Amino acid sequence: MLLSTLLRTRASPILRMPVLRVVTNLGDVPETLEAQLTKVVADIMKKPEERFWCEVQTGARISQGGTKDPCVFVSVKSIGAVGKDETPRLSQQITDYCHNALSVAKDKISVQYIDMDPNTFARGGTTIAEQLAQQSKQ
């Protein structure tokens, strides 16, 4: 089976390892931020929460629009599931969640999507491309 075919399928559990990164200039965020944001994104992507990585960096020296107003930058990296069909809903839900949970104005919340190449992400000592190649042989 071609790698491109495997990447288009949602059946492979290997492909289910999105990475969320939240950077904010806020000093305090709810203890539940990682778990709740992961749930929001996992529900839309139709991927199990236990496959997600989530990093939250608070107190960052970042600004949006040249001001020190509270702001949030969210990066969503995934092999698939961040295309034109998913990103409008993801954008709305991530922005709504951050606005409600962190009391940050919606225009101060930015989301970046990165569709990762399976050769650039490894888990358990092998790249996802290698794992996919092994899976296609089975």
Side-chain angles (χ1 to χ4, degrees), residues 31-136:
E31 290 285 325
T32 58
L33 180 73
E34 295 94 322
Q36 290 177 342
L37 184 58
T38 295
K39 180 169 179 28
V40 167
V41 176
D43 287 348
I44 295 168
M45 287 185 165
K46 296 178 177 50
K47 296 185 181 212
E49 293 174 48
E50 53 275 356
R51 297 288 183 168
F52 279 74
W53 292 85
C54 186
E55 173 190 9
V56 176
Q57 180 184 355
T58 60
R61 290 188 60 183
I62 63 170
S63 66
Q64 193 280 319
T67 73
K68 296 281 185 170
D69 294 342
C71 61
V72 178
F73 179 80
V74 180
S75 174
V76 181
K77 298 179 184 180
S78 181
I79 298 172
V82 289
K84 65 180 181 176
D85 295 334
E86 295 89 4
T87 55
R89 187 163 174 232
L90 281 166
S91 299
Q92 179 186 5
Q93 294 295 317
I94 290 169
T95 300
D96 287 348
Y97 173 77
C98 291
H99 171 70
N100 293 326
L102 304 174
S103 300
V104 173
K106 288 184 177 185
D107 66 340
K108 295 288 187 176
I109 301 168
S110 294
V111 184
Q112 173 189 43
Y113 301 98
I114 301 168
D115 192 358
M116 296 190 307
D117 182 297
N119 290 297
T120 65
F121 194 87
R123 185 170 185 180
T126 58
T127 67
I128 301 304
E130 292 171 304
Q131 294 174 31
L132 287 167
Q134 286 297 323
Q135 186 180 56
S136 70

